Amino acid sequence: MEFKDHILNLAAKKLAGEASGDELKELSDLLKNNPALANALNGIEDWWQSSLEAERDNSAALFNNIRNKINSNQQNVTRFDWQPAGRSSQINLSMIKNYVKVAWRNLAVNKAFSFINISGLAVGMALAMLTGLWVWDEYSVDGFHKNGKYLYQVYERKTHDGIAEAGYLTQAPLAEELKKQVPEVLYASGLEQNHPVTFEAANKVLKMDGSYAGADFFKMFSYKLLEGRPESALNKPGSLAISRKMAEAFYGSAADAIGKTIRFENKDNLTITAVFENLPANSSQQFDFLKGWQDFTSENAWAATWESSSPYTFVQLRADANPVVVGAKIKAFIQQFKADEQGAKSELLLQPYTKRYLHSLFKNGQLDGGRIAYVQLFNIVAIAILLIACVNFMNLATARSVKRAKEVGVRKAIGAARASLVKQFLSEALLVTFIGALLSLVIVVALLPAFNGISGKQISLPYNQPLFWLTLLGLVVITGAVAGSYPALFLSALNPVRTLKAGYKIKPSAAYFRKALVIFQFAMSLILIVSAVVISRQMDFVQSKNLGYDRENLVYIPLEGELIKKYELFKDEAGSLPGIQAVTKMKESPTVIGHTKGDISWPGKAPGNSSFSDAMVDYDFVKTMKLELLDGRDFSKQFADSANYLINEAAAKKIGYSKPVGKPLAMGSRAGKIIGLLKDFHFNSMHQSIEPLVIRLADNQKWGTILLRVKAGDTKRVLTSLESICKELNPDFTFSYQFSDDEYAKLYKSEQVVNKLSNYFAVIAIFISCLGLLGLAIFTAEQRTREIGIRKILGAGVQSLFTLMLSDFLLPVVFALFVAAPIAWYFMSGWLQGFVYHTTIQWWMFALPGGLMILIAAVTVSFQSIKAALVNPVKSLKSE
């Protein structure tokens, strides 16, 4: 070593804190004879002591500059002009090109780690994109209405006996009265719930879904009219607005349909006054036709009263109206038509229409979430899985720091600043992320049809929208920055003197940090798995719970056309079929009874709200439904039961009858007595408690549902026979039917989607986590080659070595279980609270996923562990 280099090495050790006492004394003596060099080194030492830690790594570059000057016989080294790195450096095209070139070479050299990083990021980003598209679609629902910011839905809150309840069902006359009496209301419209009905025209008979709406409906909502005008579409009796699909089905085109007469339910002739464009998929309202509101009130006598609630009510406020002021005005609006009883109160409130789709659940009389909970859940899951993929990159990059330590040392020694190294490592992360993003697009295109099938959406990649590409670019940049930030800062901080002097060894703190990242990965995965198990158990609970009636082998047939008049004949002929056990009918269906009555009275009635769910049925209802009759009897033709009632336990409790059979009860002017007490049964979703229910005999109902109890195993033969009977009695209507269990499943459509997606999310999270674990296992096996060789020479067997390596990876996974368990329990307990009736969270729901995760992790690292343990120690030590 040359004399001058020896002085510089001693100076480097001094600044690094590694010089011994003898070396410090030697350096002092040498500098006494070299004043010029002493002045230069004193300047560097002063800067070193006062500079930031981040700037000290440039010392190697400074020493190198001095060395070059000395070797070039430049005597004047006392004047040393140093400028901190980064102040004058500029990123230019050549630098970027160099960063990309170096990054690509590193990817090509380390193919296994590149594959693990890219595939993990690609899968994570694909999931994030799919979830983002779903969330985007959810937020877009009902966002296309031009008057959206002025549209509101009216809902009613009822308080009685200290209990508050709320819902969207309102009184039929409400819309018209609000428009008359509230100046801030520009337009108002009612909207009855959809029903499938039959139309006949041009020698075609088709069944369509639709409803009734007010005259202002098309002036409020931005449903494009192809024919007709918004102000006259529904303003007269007998008016009908139909969709393009319906117009083309009957007449071939919208233009040919306008003004035509069409037969409705084989009883009324309607005039087509408007044709609207098919409703977009992101509309929460879906219908093929709308009839005028005047027809609705004339066909339903109860719609003229304020005691019954069934339709929805929408209002459009004036542009200068204050929603808060309007809300205060209408709060007690209903009391002028229906006085509150003592101890009870009914209030009207407004909800922005654009928020209704995502916020539609009520709890204790207040809006309390809805689909927004699933939107937030999917956002969290997508971010969590993307973070798991980023953690893979962090873990593998920092684990490989041993191999790249000398590279960093050499770069710093020849003048590379820390900022340039950070940029280099971030460019590698961005390149990996960019490749992953391209691959993720391919994955999204391939999986989108299946994803749409599961979610029930019609999502497509919005290639033509700049916002999509900007969002994707942002996703790439953010993911690359998150994944590459820690490795870039970690590697760029390596001390060049130490790395070049004696190699680099990973500090225990770095190893602990990597284990913490592994714990984070598997904790997130375990949370997803536990959540999937709980959701699946709740769906099983919903499907298997005793509803209070037998939904198996129960068939629904719509009561329509000639069947309305010939129902008794149909019942006789159907009842005589060998496979039919019982036949009845009801106004709605057993799956959902949404109609309520507020005019229920009885002797000694205490002050309070008298709102009850109301069902209209036929004889043999209890028999057909297989309900449990606790006391009394079913409706019978042997008695005069036209004004008598069946009630459930909840109704008896509300009324206050301990033995209700034989006690008087009245619905409006219809006074009778209770003839039977039914055990509570579910007639709504399990999100809701069983409401008080009053059941009465149907009287001249013009639509409804025929219920048939079919003998198990005879369904196919019975349906064929029923079709023949319906064609004979009701030839103008297409035979259609539904199964009760299918209708029941529709109540939990959203939950079923979440159930399926949560299973897929959990599998993806496990896959990405195990990819990272595999990468760490490969690297650890390479790094511990020498240790394993020495252990084998000292007598360690393959089994002990395998156990040693396996335990290093499984302990973080076990620890992750204890981290994940309370978090999963907290979130899933909250989710289950959305169901009034739900399963319980049990210990095995944590133990089973935990054991499965440990098994998968063990299988993942076992191959590499066994491979490392079987290596010949002589060969491994020789290579070391």
Side-chain angles (χ1 to χ4, degrees):
M1 181 182 293
E2 293 184 2
F3 175 70
K4 294 172 184 177
D5 284 341
H6 180 59
I7 293 177
L8 293 175
N9 283 328
L10 290 175
K13 284 188 175 183
K14 177 182 178 182
L15 295 183
E18 297 179 351
S20 64
D22 292 336
E23 288 174 332
L24 291 174
K25 185 177 184 303
E26 180 184 2
L27 177 63
S28 178
D29 293 336
L30 291 173
L31 291 178
K32 287 178 182 179
N33 299 322
N34 294 274
L37 185 58
N39 288 336
L41 293 178
N42 285 337
I44 294 172
E45 186 171 0
D46 290 339
W47 164 77
W48 177 271
Q49 297 299 333
S50 61
S51 64
L52 297 174
E53 181 69 23
E55 297 174 329
R56 293 183 181 176
D57 293 335
N58 296 285
S59 58
L62 301 181
F63 296 148
N64 187 66
N65 289 337
I66 297 172
R67 182 185 292 113
N68 290 338
K69 290 183 178 182
I70 294 173
N71 291 338
S72 301
N73 296 318
Q74 297 180 10
Q75 299 300 319
N76 187 17
V77 294
T78 57
R79 184 180 179 184
F80 186 80
D81 186 15
W82 174 82
Q83 186 176 8
R87 292 184 185 176
S88 62
S89 61
Q90 299 289 330
I91 297 179
N92 52 44
L93 188 60
S94 61
M95 290 174 62
I96 295 174
K97 183 178 179 181
N98 182 64
Y99 288 153
V100 174
K101 185 185 294 183
V102 174
W104 180 259
R105 286 173 180 171
N106 276 313
L107 292 180
V109 169
N110 302 283
K111 294 181 177 61
F113 292 100
S114 299
F115 170 78
I116 290 173
N117 278 328
I118 291 173
S119 58
L121 285 172
V123 173
M125 293 178 74
L127 177 64
M129 271 194 276
L130 286 172
T131 306
L133 290 170
W134 184 86
V135 170
W136 191 341
D137 185 81
E138 288 287 286
Y139 276 114
S140 73
V141 171
D142 293 331
F144 59 90
H145 296 290
K146 293 179 181 179
N147 301 316
K149 60 182 178 180
Y150 306 121
L151 292 175
Y152 292 83
Q153 178 157 10
V154 182
Y155 65 94
E156 184 177 3
R157 180 166 60 209
K158 301 174 183 178
T159 306
H160 57 91
D161 302 327
I163 301 173
E165 300 171 337
Y168 290 118
L169 301 184
T170 56
Q171 295 76 20
L174 179 60
E176 183 178 352
E177 291 297 331
L178 285 173
K179 186 178 179 182
K180 284 180 181 178
Q181 299 190 37
V182 182
E184 292 89 345
V185 174
L186 181 62
Y187 300 122
S189 173
L191 180 70
E192 176 62 350
Q193 302 171 64
N194 276 13
H195 298 288
V197 297
T198 301
F199 289 90
E200 181 181 1
N203 298 319
K204 297 177 183 177
V205 178
L206 299 174
K207 192 178 291 291
M208 296 289 174
D209 277 338
S211 190
Y212 299 82
D216 288 342
F217 186 82
F218 285 107
K219 291 186 281 186
M220 299 167 63
F221 296 96
S222 301
Y223 299 123
K224 182 180 178 181
L225 291 186
L226 304 176
E227 300 289 341
R229 295 184 303 160
E231 56 271 16
S232 60
L234 298 171
N235 66 341
K236 295 179 180 178
S239 299
L240 182 70
I242 65 175
S243 66
R244 176 201 286 268
K245 181 183 78 173
M246 185 171 170
E248 291 176 349
F250 281 105
Y251 304 103
S253 69
D256 291 335
I258 192 70
K260 294 292 195 311
T261 299
I262 191 168
R263 188 76 171 165
F264 173 78
E265 288 285 275
N266 200 30
K267 59 182 175 131
D268 296 321
N269 291 323
L270 305 177
T271 301
I272 299 174
T273 52
V275 179
F276 54 87
E277 183 59 87
N278 296 332
L279 302 190
N282 64 340
S283 171
S284 62
Q285 298 175 357
Q286 294 292 328
F287 46 80
D288 293 313
F289 71 88
L290 288 176
K291 287 185 68 180
W293 200 251
Q294 296 177 54
D295 291 339
F296 177 68
T297 55
S298 64
E299 293 171 13
N300 299 277
W302 59 265
T305 72
W306 289 86
E307 301 299 330
S308 299
S309 300
S310 180
Y312 303 126
T313 299
F314 303 99
V315 296
Q316 180 181 329
L317 302 185
R318 298 183 182 277
D320 58 350
N322 186 334
V324 177
V325 173
V326 178
K329 281 187 176 183
I330 71 168
K331 196 167 187 178
F333 185 85
I334 201 172
Q335 294 174 10
Q336 62 183 301
F337 305 101
K338 185 179 68 170
D340 287 334
E341 299 180 12
Q342 185 180 356
K345 182 171 65 174
S346 292
E347 299 174 322
L348 297 181
L349 298 98
L350 296 176
Q351 180 187 18
Y353 180 71
T354 52
K355 293 185 177 180
R356 176 186 181 275
Y357 177 71
L358 294 178
H359 304 267
S360 59
L361 287 184
F362 295 92
K363 186 175 182 179
N364 298 326
Q366 302 290 335
L367 283 164
D368 186 42
R371 289 182 68 88
I372 188 64
Y374 296 126
V375 171
Q376 294 168 344
L377 174 65
F378 284 172
N379 274 330
I380 292 171
V381 169
I383 293 171
I385 291 181
L386 197 56
L387 283 176
I388 291 173
C390 291
V391 165
N392 273 358
F393 188 96
M394 292 181 188
N395 253 338
L396 295 178
T398 53
R400 292 180 60 241
S401 60
V402 172
K403 289 194 171 183
R404 303 200 67 176
K406 289 186 178 181
E407 174 194 343
V408 173
V410 171
R411 283 177 176 271
K412 284 191 171 185
I414 63 175
R418 184 178 185 186
S420 66
L421 290 171
V422 169
K423 293 170 188 174
Q424 173 63 54
F425 292 125
L426 281 177
S427 68
E428 291 183 17
L430 287 171
L431 179 61
V432 170
T433 308
F434 178 74
I435 297 172
L438 294 178
L439 185 57
S440 69
L441 280 174
V442 177
I443 296 173
V444 169
V445 171
L447 294 182
L448 201 51
F451 183 81
N452 283 336
I454 295 171
S455 62
K457 294 282 188 179
Q458 299 176 21
I459 300 171
S460 59
L461 278 176
Y463 296 109
N464 59 340
Q465 296 186 22
L467 181 60
F468 169 73
W469 296 108
L470 288 174
T471 304
L472 181 60
L473 178 62
L475 180 64
V476 170
V477 172
I478 293 173
T479 304
V482 171
S485 58
Y486 177 72
L489 296 173
F490 178 81
L491 289 169
S492 63
L494 297 178
N495 190 303
V497 177
R498 293 178 181 176
T499 55
L500 294 176
K501 171 174 169 277
Y504 174 71
K505 291 181 173 57
I506 298 176
K507 295 180 180 179
S509 58
Y512 293 148
F513 183 74
R514 285 205 310 278
K515 288 183 178 179
L517 291 178
V518 172
I519 291 171
F520 169 80
Q521 280 185 308
F522 281 92
M524 295 302 301
S525 300
L526 281 165
I527 290 172
L528 290 175
I529 298 173
V530 171
S531 300
V533 170
V534 174
I535 293 172
S536 179
R537 288 293 299 172
Q538 176 61 17
M539 291 300 97
D540 290 342
F541 174 86
V542 165
Q543 293 297 328
S544 61
K545 181 173 173 56
N546 182 6
L547 302 179
Y549 69 91
D550 185 3
R551 69 173 186 270
E552 298 293 329
N553 304 305
L554 186 61
V555 178
Y556 301 165
I557 294 179
L559 185 63
E560 57 189 359
E562 292 298 311
L563 285 182
I564 297 173
K565 294 184 293 185
K566 299 177 181 178
Y567 166 72
E568 292 297 335
L569 178 58
F570 171 85
K571 182 175 182 179
D572 291 339
E573 292 191 19
S576 65
L577 296 176
I580 297 291
Q581 296 177 333
V583 182
T584 190
K585 67 177 179 178
M586 66 183 301
K587 186 69 176 287
E588 297 179 280
S589 76
T591 312
V592 178
I593 298 177
H595 192 262
T596 61
K597 295 286 286 184
D599 55 353
I600 309 294
S601 60
W602 58 91
K605 177 183 175 183
N609 192 290
S610 57
S611 179
F612 288 72
S613 293
D614 163 44
M616 296 170 60
V617 305
D618 185 36
Y619 299 105
D620 299 321
F621 178 71
V622 174
K623 177 182 177 182
T624 306
M625 289 284 290
K626 291 190 175 180
L627 296 171
E628 184 177 346
L629 196 60
L630 299 177
D631 192 15
R633 59 177 176 82
D634 192 3
F635 295 114
S636 173
K637 293 181 179 180
Q638 298 177 7
F639 300 91
D641 284 336
S642 59
N644 292 337
Y645 304 95
L646 298 172
I647 65 172
N648 65 354
E649 292 175 284
K653 183 178 179 181
K654 184 170 183 175
I655 293 171
Y657 287 155
S658 58
K659 294 183 178 180
V661 174
K663 299 291 179 63
L665 188 70
M667 183 177 290
S669 60
R670 179 173 170 162
K673 63 180 181 179
I674 300 170
I675 62 170
L677 175 64
L678 296 171
K679 185 176 179 60
D680 280 342
F681 65 96
H682 291 274
F683 52 88
N684 275 307
S685 164
M686 289 193 186
H687 288 287
Q688 303 169 246
S689 58
I690 298 176
E691 299 291 334
L693 176 67
V694 175
I695 303 173
R696 56 191 170 112
L697 272 176
D699 49 354
N700 300 321
Q701 64 187 71
K702 298 179 181 179
W703 54 270
T705 305
I706 300 174
L707 311 180
L708 302 102
R709 174 65 61 186
V710 180
K711 184 179 179 181
D714 286 351
T715 304
K716 186 176 181 179
R717 179 169 57 84
V718 165
L719 288 176
T720 302
S721 301
L722 289 174
E723 183 176 9
S724 300
I725 295 174
C726 286
K727 284 184 177 179
E728 179 185 347
L729 300 179
N730 198 25
D732 295 330
F733 287 74
T734 304
F735 175 70
S736 62
Y737 62 90
Q738 295 171 316
F739 292 106
S740 178
D741 47 2
D742 291 339
E743 289 299 295
Y744 178 74
K746 290 179 182 178
L747 295 176
Y748 308 99
K749 184 178 179 181
S750 296
E751 287 78 8
Q752 292 289 2
V753 170
V754 172
N755 185 25
K756 292 179 181 178
L757 290 180
S758 63
N759 290 332
Y760 291 125
F761 289 164
V763 171
I764 290 171
I766 295 171
F767 170 75
I768 298 174
S769 298
C770 288
L771 267 182
L773 200 62
L774 176 62
L776 285 178
I778 294 172
F779 179 78
T780 303
E782 291 178 0
Q783 288 299 113
R784 300 182 71 175
T785 302
R786 184 178 181 183
E787 175 194 345
I788 292 171
I790 293 173
R791 286 179 178 273
K792 291 190 75 173
I793 289 175
L794 294 176
V798 173
Q799 183 177 355
S800 63
L801 292 172
F802 170 72
T803 304
L804 173 69
M805 295 192 66
L806 196 61
S807 63
D808 286 346
F809 293 103
L810 293 189
L811 285 177
V813 178
V814 173
F815 192 78
L817 174 60
F818 291 98
V819 173
I823 299 174
W825 178 86
Y826 174 80
F827 283 109
M828 295 318 298
S829 294
W831 182 76
L832 288 175
Q833 292 308 309
F835 294 84
V836 176
Y837 308 93
H838 56 78
T839 188
T840 56
I841 299 178
Q842 300 176 348
W843 66 269
W844 65 264
M845 296 180 182
F846 302 95
L848 183 62
L852 178 64
M853 184 64 81
I854 292 172
L855 178 62
I856 293 173
V859 172
T860 302
V861 301
S862 290
F863 176 74
Q864 285 299 324
S865 300
I866 294 172
K867 182 180 177 181
L870 291 175
V871 172
N872 189 323
V874 176
K875 183 179 179 181
S876 61
L877 291 176
K878 181 180 178 181
S879 64
E880 284 288 318

